[in-house]
Amino acid sequence: MAIQAALTFWREFSIQDFQRELDRQATEIAKKQDDSETSRKKLIELSREFKKNSSEEVRRKVSPLLKSFQAEIDALSRRSQAAEAAFLSAYKRTIEIP
């Protein structure tokens, strides 16, 4: 019975549609990676300008907050990279299914 259910599933499942959706998602991920890199560079530049244009007292007061935001951004970046790597690994294996 389990074999019959598996056969029925694979007859009804459109691998070509699934592969096209994975292609679309991979393209979207690549675009978002590029957008993220551009945004990160802009944020670094804004941080430098802030440090250059603010007083020592203001920098000292804001520093813990900025460090917290940076730590969170770094954690989110690592999580995103791990998820993207896992997706791309599965994508590469799935795209080769005949």
Side-chain angles (χ1 to χ4, degrees):
M1 193 63 144
I3 293 173
Q4 186 60 37
L7 288 172
T8 300
F9 172 82
W10 283 109
R11 277 191 208 113
E12 294 172 2
F13 183 76
S14 172
I15 191 72
Q16 293 85 9
D17 289 344
F18 184 64
Q19 288 169 327
R20 278 192 290 275
E21 177 60 20
L22 291 176
D23 284 340
R24 190 186 69 71
Q25 290 293 330
T27 301
E28 188 65 26
I29 286 172
K31 181 188 178 312
K32 287 181 181 180
Q33 287 172 330
D34 291 343
D35 292 348
S36 181
E37 183 61 28
T38 300
S39 178
R40 187 176 177 96
K41 287 177 182 178
K42 175 76 173 165
L43 186 57
I44 289 169
E45 183 59 35
L46 288 172
S47 294
R48 286 181 183 146
E49 286 180 29
F50 171 77
K51 287 178 184 178
K52 186 172 37 171
N53 296 325
S54 58
S55 69
E56 178 65 30
E57 181 182 350
V58 169
R59 285 193 306 269
R60 191 174 52 250
K61 287 180 179 179
V62 174
S63 181
L65 177 63
L66 290 177
K67 286 181 182 182
S68 293
F69 272 108
Q70 185 60 51
E72 185 62 22
I73 289 169
D74 291 344
L76 289 170
S77 293
R78 285 189 300 274
R79 188 180 90 195
S80 174
Q81 289 169 348
E84 290 163 358
F87 170 82
L88 292 174
S89 175
Y91 168 68
K92 287 175 185 175
R93 294 180 73 192
T94 305
I95 205 70
E96 295 173 3
I97 296 172

Coordinates of all heavy atoms in Angstrom, one line a residue, residues 4-67:
Q4 N 2.2 2.0 -3.5 CA 1.2 2.5 -4.3 C 1.0 4.0 -4.1 O 0.8 4.8 -5.0 CB -0.1 1.7 -4.2 CG -1.2 2.1 -5.1 CD -0.8 1.9 -6.6 OE1 -0.2 1.0 -6.9 NE2 -1.2 2.9 -7.4
A5 N 1.0 4.4 -2.8 CA 0.8 5.8 -2.4 C 2.0 6.6 -3.0 O 1.8 7.7 -3.5 CB 0.7 5.9 -0.9
A6 N 3.2 6.1 -2.9 CA 4.4 6.8 -3.4 C 4.3 6.9 -4.9 O 4.6 8.0 -5.5 CB 5.6 6.0 -3.0
L7 N 3.9 5.9 -5.6 CA 3.7 5.9 -7.0 C 2.7 7.0 -7.5 O 2.9 7.7 -8.4 CB 3.4 4.6 -7.6 CG 4.5 3.5 -7.6 CD1 4.0 2.2 -8.0 CD2 5.6 4.0 -8.5
T8 N 1.6 7.0 -6.7 CA 0.5 7.9 -7.0 C 1.0 9.4 -6.8 O 0.8 10.3 -7.6 CB -0.7 7.7 -6.1 OG1 -1.2 6.4 -6.4 CG2 -1.8 8.7 -6.4
F9 N 1.7 9.6 -5.7 CA 2.3 10.9 -5.5 C 3.2 11.4 -6.6 O 3.0 12.5 -7.1 CB 3.1 10.9 -4.1 CG 3.8 12.2 -3.9 CD1 3.2 13.3 -3.4 CD2 5.2 12.3 -4.3 CE1 3.8 14.5 -3.2 CE2 5.8 13.5 -4.1 CZ 5.2 14.6 -3.5
W10 N 4.1 10.5 -7.0 CA 5.1 10.9 -8.0 C 4.4 11.1 -9.4 O 4.9 11.9 -10.2 CB 6.3 9.9 -8.1 CG 7.2 10.2 -7.0 CD1 7.4 9.4 -5.9 CD2 8.0 11.4 -6.8 NE1 8.3 10.0 -5.0 CE2 8.7 11.2 -5.6 CE3 8.2 12.5 -7.5 CZ2 9.6 12.2 -5.1 CZ3 9.1 13.5 -7.1 CH2 9.8 13.3 -5.8
R11 N 3.4 10.4 -9.7 CA 2.6 10.6 -10.9 C 2.0 12.0 -11.0 O 1.9 12.6 -12.0 CB 1.6 9.5 -11.1 CG 2.1 8.2 -11.7 CD 1.0 7.3 -12.1 NE 1.4 5.9 -12.0 CZ 1.0 5.0 -11.1 NH1 0.0 5.3 -10.3 NH2 1.5 3.8 -11.1
E12 N 1.5 12.4 -9.8 CA 0.8 13.7 -9.7 C 1.7 14.9 -9.5 O 1.3 16.0 -9.8 CB -0.3 13.6 -8.6 CG -1.4 12.6 -8.9 CD -2.3 12.4 -7.7 OE1 -2.1 13.1 -6.7 OE2 -3.2 11.6 -7.9
F13 N 2.9 14.6 -9.0 CA 3.8 15.7 -8.7 C 4.5 16.1 -10.0 O 5.1 15.3 -10.7 CB 4.9 15.1 -7.7 CG 5.9 16.2 -7.2 CD1 5.5 17.2 -6.3 CD2 7.2 16.2 -7.7 CE1 6.4 18.1 -5.9 CE2 8.1 17.1 -7.3 CZ 7.7 18.1 -6.4
S14 N 4.6 17.4 -10.2 CA 5.2 17.9 -11.4 C 6.6 18.4 -11.0 O 6.8 19.5 -10.5 CB 4.4 19.1 -12.0 OG 5.2 19.7 -13.0
I15 N 7.6 17.5 -11.3 CA 9.0 17.9 -11.0 C 9.5 19.1 -11.8 O 10.2 19.9 -11.2 CB 9.9 16.7 -11.1 CG1 11.3 17.0 -10.5 CG2 10.1 16.3 -12.6 CD1 11.4 17.0 -9.1
Q16 N 9.0 19.2 -13.0 CA 9.4 20.4 -13.8 C 8.9 21.7 -13.2 O 9.6 22.7 -13.1 CB 8.9 20.3 -15.3 CG 9.5 19.1 -16.0 CD 8.8 17.8 -15.8 OE1 7.7 17.7 -15.2 NE2 9.4 16.7 -16.3
D17 N 7.6 21.7 -12.7 CA 7.1 22.9 -12.1 C 7.9 23.2 -10.8 O 8.2 24.4 -10.5 CB 5.6 22.8 -11.7 CG 4.8 22.8 -13.0 OD1 5.2 23.2 -14.0 OD2 3.6 22.4 -12.9
F18 N 8.2 22.2 -10.1 CA 9.0 22.3 -8.8 C 10.4 22.9 -9.1 O 10.8 23.8 -8.4 CB 9.1 21.0 -8.1 CG 9.8 21.0 -6.8 CD1 9.2 21.7 -5.7 CD2 10.9 20.3 -6.6 CE1 9.9 21.8 -4.5 CE2 11.6 20.4 -5.4 CZ 11.1 21.1 -4.3
Q19 N 11.0 22.4 -10.1 CA 12.3 22.9 -10.5 C 12.3 24.3 -11.0 O 13.2 25.1 -10.6 CB 13.0 22.0 -11.6 CG 13.4 20.6 -11.0 CD 13.7 19.6 -12.1 OE1 13.2 19.6 -13.2 NE2 14.7 18.7 -11.8
R20 N 11.2 24.7 -11.7 CA 11.1 26.1 -12.1 C 10.9 27.0 -10.9 O 11.5 28.1 -10.9 CB 9.9 26.2 -13.1 CG 10.3 25.9 -14.5 CD 9.2 26.3 -15.5 NE 8.0 25.5 -15.4 CZ 7.7 24.3 -16.0 NH1 8.6 23.8 -16.7 NH2 6.6 23.7 -15.8
E21 N 10.1 26.5 -9.9 CA 9.9 27.3 -8.7 C 11.3 27.5 -8.0 O 11.6 28.6 -7.5 CB 8.9 26.7 -7.8 CG 8.7 27.4 -6.5 CD 8.2 28.9 -6.6 OE1 7.7 29.3 -7.7 OE2 8.4 29.6 -5.7
L22 N 12.0 26.4 -7.9 CA 13.4 26.5 -7.3 C 14.3 27.5 -8.0 O 15.0 28.2 -7.4 CB 14.0 25.1 -7.2 CG 13.3 24.1 -6.2 CD1 14.0 22.8 -6.3 CD2 13.3 24.7 -4.8
D23 N 14.2 27.4 -9.3 CA 15.0 28.4 -10.1 C 14.6 29.8 -9.8 O 15.5 30.7 -9.6 CB 14.8 28.2 -11.6 CG 15.5 26.9 -12.2 OD1 16.5 26.5 -11.6 OD2 15.1 26.5 -13.3
R24 N 13.3 30.1 -9.7 CA 12.9 31.4 -9.4 C 13.4 31.8 -8.0 O 13.8 32.9 -7.8 CB 11.3 31.4 -9.5 CG 10.7 32.8 -9.4 CD 9.2 32.8 -9.3 NE 8.7 32.3 -8.0 CZ 8.8 32.9 -6.8 NH1 9.4 34.1 -6.7 NH2 8.3 32.4 -5.8
Q25 N 13.3 30.9 -7.0 CA 13.7 31.2 -5.7 C 15.2 31.5 -5.6 O 15.7 32.4 -4.9 CB 13.3 30.1 -4.7 CG 11.8 30.0 -4.5 CD 11.3 31.1 -3.7 OE1 12.0 31.8 -2.9 NE2 10.0 31.5 -4.0
A26 N 16.0 30.7 -6.4 CA 17.4 30.9 -6.4 C 17.8 32.2 -7.0 O 18.7 32.9 -6.5 CB 18.1 29.7 -7.2
T27 N 17.1 32.6 -8.0 CA 17.3 34.0 -8.6 C 17.0 35.1 -7.6 O 17.7 36.1 -7.5 CB 16.5 34.1 -9.9 OG1 16.9 33.1 -10.8 CG2 16.7 35.5 -10.6
E28 N 15.9 34.9 -6.9 CA 15.4 35.9 -5.9 C 16.5 36.0 -4.8 O 16.8 37.1 -4.3 CB 14.1 35.5 -5.4 CG 13.4 36.6 -4.5 CD 13.1 37.9 -5.2 OE1 12.9 37.9 -6.4 OE2 13.1 38.9 -4.5
I29 N 17.0 34.9 -4.3 CA 18.0 34.9 -3.3 C 19.2 35.6 -3.7 O 19.8 36.4 -3.0 CB 18.3 33.4 -2.8 CG1 17.2 32.8 -2.0 CG2 19.6 33.4 -2.0 CD1 17.3 31.4 -1.7
A30 N 19.7 35.3 -4.9 CA 20.9 36.0 -5.5 C 20.6 37.5 -5.5 O 21.5 38.3 -5.1 CB 21.2 35.5 -6.8
K31 N 19.5 38.0 -5.9 CA 19.1 39.4 -6.0 C 19.2 40.0 -4.6 O 19.7 41.1 -4.3 CB 17.8 39.6 -6.6 CG 17.4 41.1 -6.7 CD 16.0 41.3 -7.2 CE 15.6 42.7 -7.3 NZ 15.9 43.6 -6.2
K32 N 18.6 39.3 -3.6 CA 18.5 39.8 -2.3 C 19.9 39.8 -1.6 O 20.2 40.7 -0.8 CB 17.5 39.0 -1.4 CG 16.1 39.3 -1.8 CD 15.1 38.5 -1.0 CE 13.7 38.8 -1.4 NZ 12.7 38.1 -0.6
Q33 N 20.8 38.9 -2.0 CA 22.1 38.9 -1.5 C 22.8 40.2 -2.0 O 23.5 40.9 -1.2 CB 22.9 37.7 -2.0 CG 22.5 36.4 -1.2 CD 23.2 35.2 -1.8 OE1 23.4 35.1 -3.0 NE2 23.4 34.2 -1.0
D34 N 22.6 40.5 -3.3 CA 23.2 41.7 -3.8 C 22.7 43.0 -3.2 O 23.4 43.9 -2.8 CB 23.0 41.8 -5.3 CG 23.8 40.8 -6.1 OD1 24.7 40.2 -5.6 OD2 23.4 40.5 -7.3
D35 N 21.4 43.0 -3.0 CA 20.7 44.2 -2.3 C 21.3 44.3 -0.9 O 21.5 45.4 -0.4 CB 19.2 44.0 -2.3 CG 18.6 44.1 -3.6 OD1 19.3 44.5 -4.6 OD2 17.4 43.8 -3.8
S36 N 21.4 43.2 -0.2 CA 21.9 43.2 1.2 C 23.3 43.7 1.3 O 23.7 44.5 2.2 CB 21.8 41.8 1.8 OG 22.2 41.8 3.1
E37 N 24.2 43.3 0.3 CA 25.6 43.8 0.3 C 25.6 45.3 0.1 O 26.3 46.0 0.8 CB 26.4 43.1 -0.8 CG 27.8 43.4 -0.8 CD 28.6 43.1 0.5 OE1 28.2 42.2 1.2 OE2 29.5 43.8 0.8
T38 N 24.8 45.8 -0.8 CA 24.7 47.3 -1.1 C 24.2 48.0 0.2 O 24.8 49.0 0.6 CB 23.8 47.5 -2.3 OG1 24.3 46.9 -3.4 CG2 23.7 49.0 -2.5
S39 N 23.2 47.5 0.8 CA 22.7 48.1 2.0 C 23.7 48.1 3.1 O 23.8 49.1 3.9 CB 21.4 47.3 2.4 OG 20.9 47.9 3.6
R40 N 24.4 47.0 3.3 CA 25.4 46.9 4.4 C 26.5 47.9 4.2 O 26.9 48.6 5.1 CB 26.0 45.5 4.4 CG 26.9 45.2 5.5 CD 27.3 43.7 5.5 NE 28.2 43.4 6.6 CZ 27.9 42.9 7.8 NH1 26.6 42.7 8.0 NH2 28.8 42.7 8.7
K41 N 27.0 48.1 2.9 CA 28.0 49.1 2.6 C 27.5 50.5 3.0 O 28.2 51.3 3.5 CB 28.4 49.0 1.2 CG 29.3 47.8 0.9 CD 29.6 47.7 -0.6 CE 30.4 46.5 -0.9 NZ 30.8 46.3 -2.3
K42 N 26.2 50.8 2.6 CA 25.6 52.1 2.9 C 25.6 52.3 4.4 O 25.9 53.4 4.9 CB 24.2 52.2 2.3 CG 23.5 53.4 2.6 CD 24.0 54.6 1.8 CE 23.0 55.8 2.1 NZ 23.6 57.0 1.7
L43 N 25.2 51.3 5.2 CA 25.1 51.4 6.6 C 26.5 51.6 7.2 O 26.6 52.4 8.2 CB 24.5 50.1 7.2 CG 24.2 50.1 8.7 CD1 23.3 51.2 9.1 CD2 23.6 48.7 9.1
I44 N 27.5 51.0 6.7 CA 28.9 51.2 7.2 C 29.3 52.7 7.0 O 29.9 53.3 7.9 CB 29.9 50.2 6.5 CG1 29.6 48.8 7.1 CG2 31.3 50.7 6.8 CD1 30.4 47.7 6.3
E45 N 29.0 53.2 5.8 CA 29.3 54.6 5.5 C 28.6 55.5 6.4 O 29.2 56.5 6.9 CB 29.0 54.9 4.0 CG 29.4 56.3 3.6 CD 30.9 56.6 3.8 OE1 31.7 55.7 3.6 OE2 31.2 57.7 4.1
L46 N 27.3 55.3 6.6 CA 26.5 56.1 7.5 C 27.1 56.1 9.0 O 27.1 57.1 9.7 CB 25.0 55.7 7.5 CG 24.3 56.0 6.3 CD1 22.9 55.4 6.3 CD2 24.2 57.5 6.1
S47 N 27.5 54.9 9.4 CA 28.1 54.8 10.7 C 29.4 55.6 10.9 O 29.6 56.3 11.9 CB 28.4 53.3 11.1 OG 27.2 52.6 11.2
R48 N 30.2 55.5 9.8 CA 31.4 56.3 9.8 C 31.2 57.8 9.8 O 31.8 58.6 10.6 CB 32.3 56.0 8.6 CG 32.9 54.6 8.7 CD 33.8 54.4 7.4 NE 34.3 53.0 7.5 CZ 34.5 52.2 6.5 NH1 34.2 52.6 5.3 NH2 35.0 51.0 6.7
E49 N 30.2 58.2 9.1 CA 29.8 59.7 9.1 C 29.3 60.1 10.4 O 29.6 61.2 10.9 CB 28.7 59.9 8.0 CG 29.2 59.9 6.6 CD 28.2 60.2 5.6 OE1 27.2 60.9 5.9 OE2 28.3 59.7 4.5
F50 N 28.5 59.2 11.1 CA 28.0 59.6 12.4 C 29.1 59.7 13.4 O 29.2 60.7 14.2 CB 27.0 58.5 12.9 CG 26.7 58.6 14.3 CD1 25.7 59.5 14.7 CD2 27.3 57.8 15.3 CE1 25.4 59.7 16.0 CE2 26.9 58.0 16.6 CZ 26.0 58.9 17.0
K51 N 30.1 58.8 13.4 CA 31.2 58.9 14.3 C 32.1 60.1 14.0 O 32.5 60.8 15.0 CB 32.1 57.6 14.1 CG 31.5 56.4 14.7 CD 32.4 55.2 14.5 CE 31.7 53.9 15.0 NZ 32.6 52.8 14.8
K52 N 32.2 60.5 12.7 CA 33.0 61.7 12.4 C 32.3 63.0 12.8 O 33.0 63.9 13.2 CB 33.3 61.6 10.9 CG 34.2 62.7 10.4 CD 34.7 62.6 9.0 CE 33.6 62.1 8.0 NZ 34.0 62.2 6.6
N53 N 31.0 63.0 12.7 CA 30.2 64.2 12.9 C 29.6 64.4 14.2 O 28.8 65.3 14.4 CB 29.2 64.4 11.8 CG 29.8 64.5 10.4 OD1 30.9 65.1 10.2 ND2 29.2 63.9 9.4
S54 N 29.8 63.5 15.2 CA 29.2 63.6 16.5 C 30.3 63.8 17.6 O 31.4 63.4 17.4 CB 28.3 62.4 16.8 OG 29.0 61.3 16.7
S55 N 29.8 64.3 18.7 CA 30.8 64.6 19.8 C 31.1 63.3 20.5 O 30.4 62.3 20.3 CB 30.1 65.5 20.8 OG 29.1 64.9 21.5
E56 N 32.2 63.3 21.2 CA 32.7 62.1 21.9 C 31.6 61.7 22.9 O 31.4 60.5 23.1 CB 34.0 62.5 22.7 CG 34.5 61.4 23.5 CD 34.9 60.1 22.7 OE1 35.4 60.3 21.6 OE2 34.8 59.0 23.2
E57 N 30.9 62.6 23.5 CA 29.9 62.2 24.5 C 28.7 61.5 23.8 O 28.3 60.5 24.4 CB 29.4 63.5 25.2 CG 28.3 63.2 26.3 CD 27.8 64.5 26.9 OE1 28.3 65.6 26.7 OE2 26.8 64.3 27.6
V58 N 28.3 62.0 22.7 CA 27.2 61.3 22.0 C 27.7 60.0 21.5 O 26.9 59.0 21.7 CB 26.8 62.2 20.8 CG1 25.8 61.4 19.9 CG2 26.1 63.5 21.3
R59 N 28.9 59.9 21.0 CA 29.4 58.5 20.5 C 29.4 57.6 21.7 O 29.1 56.4 21.6 CB 30.7 58.7 19.9 CG 30.7 59.3 18.5 CD 32.0 59.1 17.8 NE 33.1 59.7 18.5 CZ 33.6 60.9 18.4 NH1 33.1 61.7 17.5 NH2 34.7 61.2 19.0
R60 N 29.9 58.0 22.9 CA 30.0 57.2 24.0 C 28.6 56.7 24.5 O 28.4 55.5 24.8 CB 30.7 57.9 25.2 CG 31.1 57.0 26.3 CD 31.9 57.7 27.4 NE 31.3 59.0 27.9 CZ 31.8 60.2 27.6 NH1 32.9 60.3 26.8 NH2 31.2 61.3 28.1
K61 N 27.6 57.6 24.4 CA 26.2 57.2 24.9 C 25.6 56.2 23.9 O 24.8 55.4 24.3 CB 25.4 58.4 25.1 CG 25.8 59.2 26.3 CD 24.9 60.4 26.5 CE 25.2 61.2 27.7 NZ 24.4 62.4 27.9
V62 N 25.8 56.4 22.6 CA 25.2 55.7 21.6 C 25.9 54.4 21.2 O 25.3 53.4 20.7 CB 25.0 56.5 20.3 CG1 24.5 55.7 19.1 CG2 24.1 57.7 20.6
S63 N 27.1 54.3 21.6 CA 28.0 53.1 21.3 C 27.4 51.8 21.7 O 27.4 50.8 20.9 CB 29.4 53.3 21.9 OG 30.2 52.2 21.6
P64 N 26.9 51.6 22.9 CA 26.3 50.3 23.3 C 25.1 49.9 22.4 O 24.9 48.8 22.0 CB 25.8 50.5 24.7 CG 26.6 51.6 25.2 CD 26.9 52.5 24.1
L65 N 24.3 50.9 22.0 CA 23.1 50.6 21.2 C 23.6 50.2 19.8 O 23.1 49.2 19.2 CB 22.3 51.9 21.1 CG 21.1 51.8 20.1 CD1 20.1 50.7 20.6 CD2 20.4 53.2 20.0
L66 N 24.6 50.9 19.2 CA 25.1 50.6 17.9 C 25.7 49.2 17.9 O 25.6 48.4 17.0 CB 26.1 51.6 17.4 CG 25.5 53.0 17.1 CD1 26.6 54.0 16.7 CD2 24.5 52.9 15.9
K67 N 26.5 48.9 19.0 CA 27.1 47.6 19.1 C 26.0 46.5 19.2 O 26.2 45.4 18.6 CB 28.0 47.5 20.3 CG 29.3 48.3 20.1 CD 30.2 48.2 21.2 CE 31.5 49.0 21.0 NZ 32.5 48.9 22.1

